[in-house]
Every structure is written in C-alpha cells, then in structure tokens.
Amino acid sequence: MSMNRRTALGAALGLGIAGTTGAASLLGAAPAVGSPARRAALAGQAPAQDFAIGVRQFNWSRGNRSLFTKVFYPATGTPGGNPVPDAPLADGVFPVAHWNHGAYGNSDSYASQTHAIASAGFICPAPSISDNTNIGSVYGGEWSRDVSEVITRTLALNDSPGSPFAGQIDTAAGVGVSGHSMGGMTVHGLLTNWPDDRIKAAVPVACVDMGNPAGLDANVLFIHGDQDPTCQYSLARQAYSELSAPKAFLTHVGADHAAYLNPGFPTFDQTQNTLVDWFRWSLYGDTAARDRLPGGATAPGTAWEAVLD
C-alpha cells in the first residue's frame, strides 16, 4: 500500500498514524439461540444446529508481544447464554476460525461475532493484540504475524499432552481468519505481504488494501459499509478486484464503519449469515452453506457480489 493511502487513513481516524476506531463500544452479546446441540458433522456437512459455547484463556506471546487469547469453542450443554469458562468440548472435530479485534479492542470486544462462530461449530481464537491502537504495527505486519502465531498455538492444542482440545481440532482443513477495521487490515495482510498458506477462508471486515495478493488458495469474503468514514470503501473494492475467485463482497448500503456488526441494526443478520456460512463452506466443504450465501446476504440495504467458481 502506498504511503499516501496510509496518510489518508490516519487522517480519517483522527489519530495520525497511531490508531483507529474499533467496534468495542458498539458490540453486544451474541444473539440467544435455543436449538439443541448436535454431534460432529460429516465431511462436507457443517453442523446444522447451534452449540453451547465454552471459553478458555491462554497467556501466549510472540517475542515481547503479549498475545493473551480467549479461545471460544463448541461446548456441551444447552445453546444460548454466555460462554462457560472451561466447559467440556462438544463431541466432534472442529476447524479453526479466528477473529481479530480493531483498535481499542480485546478478546471480548466482538462477542456477537466470536460467539456466533463458536456456536456454529468452530474453534475461535480471539487474541488481545498488545499494541491495540498502533496502526503502524498493522502496516508493518506485526499484527498479521501475531495472528499467525495465535493460529500456530491454537492448532498445537490438538496434540499437546493434557490439552482439553486434544484430538478435537481439525488440523487438516486449513484455517479461517476474520476481523474488523485494523483487524480486517490484518486479515488482508495475511493474504498479501505476510501470507500464511494455512488460510483457506478469510473475511476482512472494513479493511483497506494492504498489498498485492500472494496467491493463496483461500476463499475471501469482504464486508464493508459504503459510507465508511474510517476505512475507505473504494480501497476495499480495489483489494477485492485484485483477488482471484472464489471471492465475494457484501456491501451494507449507506452504513458506516461498524454499525452492521451490532445486533438490532437492520442488516446485522446479513453480516452474521454470510460470515458463518462462508466458514461452513470453506472449512467444512458444506456446499449447502455456499448455496445459501446469496439469500442470506440479501435484504433491503445490502448488495451482494460473488464469483465462486
């Protein structure tokens, strides 16, 4: 990305090159769900009903960078309500689908997204990036490297002696990555300047173009408001145009930087529908989820574009 784009983004943030606005103060808890949990999915079929959610905490790091991480996951018990600390995992083997916060955020800032991902049948690590207002670290690749480290640590839980996740993480499916604002930029960085070839699904939300595609074999879904005053919509469109299929773009027409991530916003459901079904298709191979995408994305106030072949 050219320096003039960085300068323009910094000006929009009102913090020069040092920070951006996340959605931490905007996001509530995940919507309640009331359907019974089910066991592991068959290959090519994601779980059709929701799980209860567990959460475990890990004090990871990369060099001198703290990577405190909450891992949300499908748990035994009745779906709905808050994640249960250290709850037993549900029966099954589950892919990893990561979520990354924006500036001023942490592991709990995007509960609606992390809880929805976990309840749908994914292991969802959500780190608290140590320098969470430093956009220079995003442009320098530190956040993208942090996410790669969190992915490595999460996958290692499958084989770690005594790990509560032992034998229940699908380490062969590839991984998903998603995030908002600076977290969305981090995701695009993992597809461009700091590639991680384990990534099979990516959902950058409210991102800007971070560089030329690295040619990863990943399905990429962009989500963005076309009146975003913080991360320019046209830069996300440029990033989309540069990628090969499979790819898709969900536009929230008239929406700003983060409103569509909030329960109660008119097109919130379309955000959640596409986010979760994108991971179901990409990581479980669930073609029914792929076929649901246009209908799940469509509503007054959205525009859907996709090249999936």
Side-chain angles (χ1 to χ4, degrees):
M1 174 179 290
S2 63
M3 184 58 67
N4 65 317
R5 291 186 197 166
R6 298 185 187 187
T7 304
L9 179 58
L13 301 172
L15 294 169
I17 202 71
T20 186
T21 52
S25 63
L26 301 175
L27 300 179
V33 290
S35 52
R38 60 172 290 166
R39 293 178 181 269
L42 300 173
Q45 178 185 352
Q49 295 173 289
D50 293 298
F51 292 92
I53 306 167
V55 60
R56 290 181 178 268
Q57 300 182 10
F58 298 91
N59 290 306
W60 293 329
S61 62
R62 184 177 67 85
N64 63 357
R65 294 178 64 79
S66 171
L67 295 174
F68 171 80
T69 299
K70 288 189 176 182
V71 178
F72 300 92
Y73 56 87
T76 60
T78 302
N82 293 321
V84 177
D86 302 331
L89 268 78
D91 290 343
V93 179
F94 306 104
V96 171
H98 170 283
W99 178 272
N100 213 80
H101 64 74
Y104 302 101
N106 57 41
S107 299
D108 293 318
S109 297
Y110 294 78
S112 293
Q113 284 69 50
T114 57
H115 297 184
I117 291 168
S119 68
F122 299 91
I123 308 292
C124 182
S128 295
I129 303 295
S130 55
D131 55 347
N132 70 352
T133 63
N134 188 357
I135 198 169
S137 285
V138 178
Y139 283 123
E142 296 299 333
W143 281 39
S144 293
R145 296 185 189 99
D146 288 346
V147 170
S148 284
E149 180 68 24
V150 169
I151 289 170
T152 296
R153 300 290 189 106
T154 302
L155 292 172
L157 294 172
N158 187 63
D159 300 312
S160 299
S163 167
F165 296 89
Q168 291 194 258
I169 299 177
D170 188 343
T171 60
V175 300
V177 290
S178 53
H180 172 249
S181 192
M182 283 167 57
M185 295 163 64
T186 297
V187 169
H188 194 247
L190 287 162
L191 304 173
T192 55
N193 287 326
W194 306 280
D196 188 324
D197 62 10
R198 296 171 296 184
I199 295 171
K200 298 302 177 185
V203 186
V205 183
C207 77
V208 299
D209 188 350
M210 293 292 287
N212 295 323
L216 300 188
D217 181 21
N219 303 340
V220 186
L221 164 66
F222 292 80
I223 303 176
H224 213 114
D226 67 359
Q227 300 301 310
D228 189 334
T230 305
C231 291
Q232 191 175 338
Y233 178 70
S234 63
L235 295 181
R237 293 295 308 181
Q238 176 174 315
Y240 174 76
S241 71
E242 293 168 347
L243 285 171
S244 301
K247 61 181 180 178
F249 204 113
L250 173 62
T251 299
H252 292 271
V253 179
D256 62 13
H257 188 56
Y260 49 85
L261 293 170
N262 297 298
F265 189 76
T267 55
F268 168 78
D269 287 347
Q270 284 63 48
T271 299
Q272 301 291 78
N273 293 343
T274 54
L275 173 67
V276 173
D277 273 345
W278 197 261
F279 285 146
R280 285 177 175 136
W281 168 46
S282 303
L283 301 178
Y284 278 101
D286 191 330
T287 56
R290 177 200 61 199
D291 295 343
R292 283 195 302 269
L293 285 164
T298 302
T302 65
W304 173 253
E305 178 182 345
V307 185
L308 302 183
D309 297 322

